[in-house]
């Protein structure tokens, strides 16, 4: 470049250029259309074809959706209405009568109708309990205490029974904590932890019944009991899904940490558990829960079927959760651990304050996918005879009035699930946006 | 690199070394698997000393200072920091880490916390300082490293030099008696190196005991009272900076200095 002509490249700007508005074709509606729909002739053709296709689909689906068959009491009656309107065949029109006729059942199963207020109240209280967890900064801080006691209120509302049972179950936590504190003074933390768990287990398995029974005979206070076999419908799906989701996350965190542990036995147990659960189909686990588990129980014990299913679904999801969270942990640079160590934070402080907040943030999409998958998997319980919406739909179609109905029932059930799953998905996106602090 | 990248004058008369021993390492050995990284390290550091550790990459200089706060575990020999022996006992390790601050090449700030939270976290959780007091201390040190106005930002919004100064402030908030610097300027642009070195010089003038692994030979010449040259996991030569740079004894040191200063 030694022969660059200094006299021709020399340049000094003496007036600065003013800022100009962009051309009209680059901004606004026109700009958007050009950029996204009609950029070039090929894309324009594709856009037109796609619009035509969308119109075709909608022109079939919308009339089907809005057919006035709300009052029909049976499939025959519905077909009659449609025939009078002159539309017949597969796409003639939807028979929404089945939903009007059976929506209560699809939601509550065979739950006693005079007690519907209980699951509804449980659902409303769930929203209250979730608010401080999901939207911490928009609600009063003290509401978190309600979130803490909600897990004891919900089963009591749904299943009923003595008020002392949930109180004594909660007392089991206190028993475990006291045992932990007592042992922690002399023995190590690990020993104390084991002692706490054992004490709580002993309380729940052996002392819970007599103690709450005793209290109940002094102050009989409670709700009318509802049997598990009366549970059903979307309420059942929600119950299983929500409990399993709430427990599988902490369990997954523990498993993920266990898998990374230096303690060989702990690590082997966690790896073995995760690999076993991931290697077995959920449906197998559910069959084990519904049939095989009773064989291993002492004769005469009646281990609630919904509880068994919840345990299996939780264990199943927690194994996947552990792997999702392990992915998040692996994505953290070593420097974060070293930064925490060098400041003198101990293992649990480092995990709680530094590692987990970041690892969980990275894993949000995976965690929510697991949640959504788990929630949809609750429909598998219909195979072991629980009457979730899918199980009920089979029963409804067996009714002679609605024999042969397909789309409307499954469409309604799909809508219920879609609302829940889509909300979870949107929330996870909101959370990701909220936690984005990288600014890179 | 022979010149200090800052015009800041260092008043060496202010730099005093006390007789009190801060770190004592005797016969320390470390292996990574079968690879012998550190061999028979003997090193005594007094309170107030500024030591620069130099050497080619892979010579074990980072590993050495990482052993001092137990980020790496040594397998043989003895490390005593501030009267506490470093064993596998977690209590001792935690005690030492409270007294020893560390600054990393890649800052290792916590990206999900604001600058202020980065600085107050450890005092609140480890030293159990009340929040208000921790915030006051943090703001004091952020002012000292000249970025108090960034307190509510996140690390990702700051430049490399600013992040490194926050990292220094974060360590200082724990009121450590010893500071370890692991190549604090190696990941920075030249213009940012200056601001970090200024902060380090200020720290030295206040009598902080410092061990710095660095390639900033200007810093070594002006601030350090001792330069240690390491190669192949051993201390090859140590001397006062003037002597070290002007009159190196070992062949290995001469070669290293000619490579690092010879352009």
């Amino acid at each position: 470049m030694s022969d660059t002509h200094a006299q021709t490249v020399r340049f000094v700007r003496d007036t600065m250029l003013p800022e100009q508005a962009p051309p009209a074709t680059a901004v606004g509606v026109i700009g958007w259309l050009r950029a996204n729909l009609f950029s070039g002739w090929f894309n324009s053709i594709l856009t037109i074809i796609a619009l035509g296709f969308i119109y075709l689909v909608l022109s079939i689906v919308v009339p089907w959706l809005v057919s006035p068959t709300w009052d029909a009491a049976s499939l025959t009656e519905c077909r009659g209405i449609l025939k009078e309107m002159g539309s017949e065949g597969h796409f003639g029109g939807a028979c929404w009568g089945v939903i009007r006729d059976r929506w209560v059942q699809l939601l509550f199963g065979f739950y006693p109708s005079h007690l519907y207020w209980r699951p509804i109240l449980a659902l409303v209280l769930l929203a209250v309990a979730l608010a401080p967890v999901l939207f911490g900064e928009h609600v009063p801080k003290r509401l978190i205490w309600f979130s803490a006691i909600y897990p004891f209120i919900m089963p009591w509302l749904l299943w009923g029974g003595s008020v002392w049972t949930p109180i004594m179950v909660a007392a089991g936590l206190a028993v475990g904590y006291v045992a932990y504190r007592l042992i922690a003074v002399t023995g190590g933390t690990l020993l104390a932890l084991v002692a706490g768990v054992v004490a709580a287990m002993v309380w729940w398995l052996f002392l819970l019944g007599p103690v709450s029974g005793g209290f109940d005979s002094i102050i009989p206070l409670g709700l009318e009991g509802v049997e598990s076999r009366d549970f059903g419908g979307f309420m059942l799906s929600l119950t299983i899904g929500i409990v399993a989701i709430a427990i599988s996350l902490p369990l997954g965190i523990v498993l993920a940490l266990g898998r990374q542990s230096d303690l060989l036995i702990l690590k082997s147990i966690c790896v073995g558990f995760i690999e076993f659960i991931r290697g077995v189909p959920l449906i197998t686990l559910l069959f084990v829960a519904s049939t095989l588990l009773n064989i291993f129980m002492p004769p005469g014990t009646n281990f609630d079927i919904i509880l068994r299913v919840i345990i299996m679904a939780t264990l199943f999801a927690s194994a996947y959760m552990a792997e999702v969270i392990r992915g998040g942990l692996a994505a953290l640079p070593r420097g974060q651990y070293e930064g925490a160590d060098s400041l003198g934070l101990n293992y649990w402080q480092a995990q709680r304050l530094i590692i987990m907040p970041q690892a969980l943030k990275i894993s949000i999409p995976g965690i929510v996918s697991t949640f959504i998958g788990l929630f949809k998997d609750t429909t598998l319980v219909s195979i072991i005879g629980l009457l979730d919406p899918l199980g009920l739909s089979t029963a409804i179609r067996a009714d002679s009035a609605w024999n042969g109905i397909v789309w409307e029932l499954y469409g309604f059930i799909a809508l219920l699930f879609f609302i829940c799953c889509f909300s979870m998905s949107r929330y996870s996106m909101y959370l990701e946006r909220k936690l984005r602090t990288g600014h890179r | 690199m022979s010149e200090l990248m800052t015009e800041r004058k260092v008043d060496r008369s202010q730099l005093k070394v006390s007789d009190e021993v801060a770190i004592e390492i005797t016969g320390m050995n470390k292996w990574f698997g079968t690879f012998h990284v550190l061999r028979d390290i003997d090193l005594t550091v007094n309170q107030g000393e500024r030591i620069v550790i130099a050497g080619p990459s892979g010579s074990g200089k980072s590993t050495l200072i990482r052993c001092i706060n137990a980020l790496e575990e040594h397998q043989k020999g003895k490390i005593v920091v501030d009267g506490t022996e470093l064993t596998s006992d977690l209590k001792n390790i935690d005690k030492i880490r409270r007294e020893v601050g560390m600054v990393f090449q890649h800052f290792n700030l916590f990206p999900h916390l604001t600058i202020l939270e980065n600085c107050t976290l450890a005092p609140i959780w480890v030293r159990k300082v009340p929040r208000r007091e921790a915030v006051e201390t943090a703001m004091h040190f952020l002012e000292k490293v000249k970025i108090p106005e960034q307190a509510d930002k996140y690390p990702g919004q700051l430049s490399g030099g600013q992040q490194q100064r926050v990292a220094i402030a974060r360590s200082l908030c724990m009121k450590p008696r010893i500071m370890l610097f692991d190549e604090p300027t190696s990941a920075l642009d030249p213009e940012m190196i200056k601001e970090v070195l200024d902060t380090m010089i200020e720290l030295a003038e206040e009598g902080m005991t410092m061990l710095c692994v660095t390639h900033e030979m200007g810093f070594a010449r002006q601030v350090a009272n001792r330069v240690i040259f390491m190669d192949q996991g051993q201390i090859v030569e140590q001397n006062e900076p003037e002597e070290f740079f002007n009159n190196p004894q070992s062949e290995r040191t001469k070669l290293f200095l000619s490579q690092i200063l010879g352009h």
Side-chain angles (χ1 to χ4, degrees):
Chain A
M1 295 295 280
S2 56
D3 56 350
T4 307
H5 312 293
Q7 62 275 28
T8 55
V9 296
R10 190 171 60 198
F11 172 74
V12 178
R13 179 173 297 285
D14 43 14
T15 51
M16 299 312 268
L17 299 174
E19 202 172 294
Q20 289 177 342
T25 51
V27 289
V29 179
I30 298 171
W32 186 88
L33 284 176
R34 274 186 86 132
N36 294 296
L37 296 179
F38 299 103
S39 57
W41 62 268
F42 184 66
N43 286 347
S44 303
I45 292 173
L46 284 185
T47 300
I48 290 162
I49 293 175
L51 287 176
F53 181 72
I54 292 170
Y55 173 78
L56 191 70
V57 171
L58 286 182
S59 67
I60 296 169
V61 170
V62 171
W64 182 83
L65 276 177
V66 298
S67 65
T69 52
W70 194 245
D71 295 323
S74 73
L75 193 59
T76 342
E77 194 182 330
C78 161
R79 294 236 165 103
I81 296 174
L82 289 174
K83 200 168 187 179
E84 270 174 39
M85 289 168 54
S87 56
E88 263 180 292
H90 271 303
F91 300 114
C95 289
W96 294 119
V98 66
I99 305 302
R100 185 195 53 83
D101 196 25
R102 299 300 185 103
W103 68 275
V104 177
Q105 199 182 19
L106 281 171
L107 291 184
F108 295 103
F110 297 105
Y111 205 84
S113 54
H114 65 287
L115 296 178
Y116 280 165
W117 64 272
R118 273 160 46 178
I120 293 170
L121 179 63
L123 191 65
V124 171
L125 291 181
L126 174 72
V128 179
L130 277 180
V133 179
L134 299 183
F135 306 99
E137 65 270 38
H138 302 301
V139 291
K141 266 227 163 70
R142 247 179 255 149
L143 212 56
I144 196 81
W145 289 106
F146 180 73
S147 308
I149 58 167
Y150 181 76
F152 303 101
I153 299 176
M154 188 194 87
W156 181 61
L157 274 178
L158 292 182
W159 276 274
S162 164
V163 72
W164 294 106
T165 310
I167 293 176
M168 287 304 135
V169 170
L173 290 180
V175 168
Y177 181 70
V178 169
Y180 169 79
R181 289 313 292 249
L182 284 180
I183 304 295
V185 178
T186 49
T189 322
L190 196 66
L191 192 67
L193 210 62
V194 173
V197 171
V198 169
M201 281 296 172
V202 168
W203 172 269
W204 283 326
L205 290 179
F206 302 109
L207 298 173
L208 178 70
V211 173
S212 57
F215 271 104
D216 196 44
S217 61
I218 302 168
I219 313 169
L221 205 64
L223 292 171
E224 188 183 331
V226 179
E227 291 292 323
S228 280
R229 63 166 181 271
D230 294 336
F231 275 54
F234 198 58
M235 183 192 107
L236 178 68
S237 305
L238 271 180
T239 310
I240 298 173
I242 285 166
V243 176
I245 282 173
I247 302 177
S248 67
L249 181 62
L251 205 57
I253 293 175
V254 171
L255 283 170
L257 290 179
R259 191 169 190 162
Q260 291 211 321
S261 166
D262 296 331
L263 306 170
L264 184 68
I265 295 176
L266 183 66
K267 183 177 172 162
S268 318
I269 292 173
C270 290
V271 172
F273 176 84
I274 292 169
E275 296 304 338
F276 172 74
I277 296 279
R278 289 206 308 165
V280 176
L282 177 58
I283 198 73
T284 315
L285 292 176
L286 291 177
F287 273 124
V288 168
S290 80
T291 56
L292 277 177
L293 219 54
N294 270 350
I295 297 173
F296 299 112
M297 293 286 157
T301 44
N302 184 19
F303 198 14
D304 190 274
I305 178 70
I306 294 182
L307 187 60
R308 280 182 274 164
V309 164
I310 286 177
I311 289 174
M312 284 304 179
T314 306
L315 294 182
F316 187 76
S318 66
Y320 282 88
M321 195 62 70
E323 287 299 282
V324 167
I325 291 167
R326 192 169 68 94
L329 287 170
L332 278 194
R334 259 212 77 64
Q336 291 294 310
Y337 293 88
E338 290 179 352
D341 281 348
S342 74
L343 288 170
L345 296 168
N346 65 33
Y347 177 80
W348 291 110
Q349 287 173 334
Q351 289 298 341
R352 196 164 86 69
L353 301 167
I354 309 298
I355 308 301
M356 272 306 150
Q358 296 185 62
L360 291 180
K361 188 183 106 182
I362 298 171
S363 332
I364 287 173
I367 290 175
V368 175
S369 288
T370 313
F371 281 170
I372 290 175
L374 168 64
F375 185 55
K376 292 191 298 186
D377 280 351
T378 59
T379 52
L380 286 175
V381 300
S382 62
I383 294 181
I384 58 165
L386 289 181
L387 291 174
D388 84 313
L390 278 192
L392 280 170
S393 73
T394 320
I396 292 170
R397 284 191 298 141
D399 182 344
S400 61
W402 297 110
N403 196 347
I405 200 145
V406 180
W407 287 92
E408 296 80 355
L409 267 181
Y410 288 133
F412 180 68
I413 296 166
L415 181 70
L416 290 177
F417 275 94
F418 179 79
I419 290 170
C420 291
C421 296
F422 188 62
S423 317
M424 282 193 257
S425 159
R426 297 306 298 185
Y427 176 75
S428 91
M429 287 163 90
Y430 156 82
L431 197 61
E432 275 180 74
R433 259 199 316 280
K434 194 179 82 173
L435 296 179
R436 190 176 300 152
T437 58
H439 302 281
R440 273 173 287 235
Chain B
M1 291 269 212
S2 64
E3 291 308 308
L4 186 56
M5 302 207 49
T6 161
E7 302 81 49
R8 201 177 183 293
K9 280 282 164 281
V10 183
D11 183 2
R12 287 195 73 104
S13 68
Q14 275 197 1
L15 306 176
K16 290 197 185 69
V17 176
S18 88
D19 297 334
E20 202 186 328
V21 175
I23 303 170
E24 193 168 14
I25 302 174
T26 38
M28 195 255 280
N29 279 276
K30 172 163 180 62
W31 288 263
F32 282 134
T34 56
F35 177 57
H36 201 171
V37 229
L38 292 176
R39 307 176 194 180
D40 277 329
I41 304 288
D42 289 301
L43 178 66
T44 305
V45 180
N46 283 357
Q47 202 60 251
E49 278 204 88
R50 291 93 37 209
I51 296 179
V52 163
I53 304 172
S57 64
S59 60
K61 44 194 197 311
S62 285
T63 313
L64 171 61
I65 69 165
R66 286 159 60 87
C67 279
I68 293 172
N69 68 350
L71 284 185
E72 302 284 356
E73 200 182 352
H74 62 287
Q75 275 99 28
K76 224 171 110 185
K78 200 169 157 188
I79 302 178
V80 180
V81 181
D82 239 4
T84 312
E85 190 183 343
L86 200 56
T87 55
S88 54
D89 187 351
L90 282 176
K91 281 204 182 100
N92 283 4
I93 292 180
D94 284 343
K95 189 172 171 212
I96 287 171
R97 282 176 179 165
R98 281 199 290 272
E99 303 304 327
V100 179
M102 181 145 189
V103 176
F104 299 88
Q105 180 178 0
H106 297 291
F107 331 133
N108 296 357
L109 294 175
F110 306 131
H112 63 301
L113 300 176
T114 63
I115 300 308
L116 189 63
E117 287 166 342
N118 263 279
C119 293
T120 55
L121 184 93
I124 289 173
W125 288 92
V126 180
R127 286 228 189 268
K128 314 284 180 203
V129 173
R131 179 173 298 271
R132 176 196 294 260
E133 201 184 315
V135 170
E136 268 171 32
T137 315
M139 287 314 291
H140 166 77
F141 284 114
L142 285 176
E143 259 157 50
K144 209 171 134 77
V145 300
K146 303 186 181 63
I147 32 176
E149 70 281 359
Q150 314 281 10
D152 292 323
K153 288 195 183 166
Y154 286 94
Q157 293 166 289
L158 268 53
S159 74
Q162 288 174 322
Q163 289 193 46
Q164 192 60 296
R165 284 184 285 150
V166 170
I168 294 174
R170 180 178 74 174
S171 286
L172 292 177
C173 284
M174 284 292 281
K175 309 261 176 74
R177 289 159 59 84
I178 300 163
M179 285 286 283
L180 308 173
F181 292 84
D182 189 0
E183 308 205 18
T185 55
S186 300
L188 297 178
D189 293 343
E191 49 206 299
M192 293 171 181
I193 292 178
K194 175 184 170 307
E195 55 190 49
V196 171
L197 287 181
D198 280 350
T199 310
M200 288 169 64
I201 291 168
E202 211 168 291
L203 211 54
E205 285 175 341
E206 284 167 13
M208 178 65 78
T209 311
M210 295 163 70
L211 271 85
C212 314
V213 171
T214 181
H215 298 297
E216 296 296 328
M217 289 305 137
F219 176 81
R221 204 187 276 269
Q222 288 205 42
V223 182
N225 68 316
R226 193 153 37 127
V227 180
I228 293 176
F229 177 70
M230 285 185 71
D231 190 29
Q232 293 178 4
Q234 302 150 69
I235 295 179
V236 174
E237 188 165 349
Q238 56 173 313
N239 212 333
E240 293 183 350
E242 283 309 308
E243 275 294 290
F244 179 84
F245 288 111
N246 299 340
N247 191 15
Q249 300 297 311
S250 117
E251 283 307 313
R252 193 65 196 83
T253 316
K254 283 177 195 165
L255 182 66
F256 176 75
L257 286 177
S258 74
Q259 279 167 348
I260 201 166
L261 304 175
H263 49 83

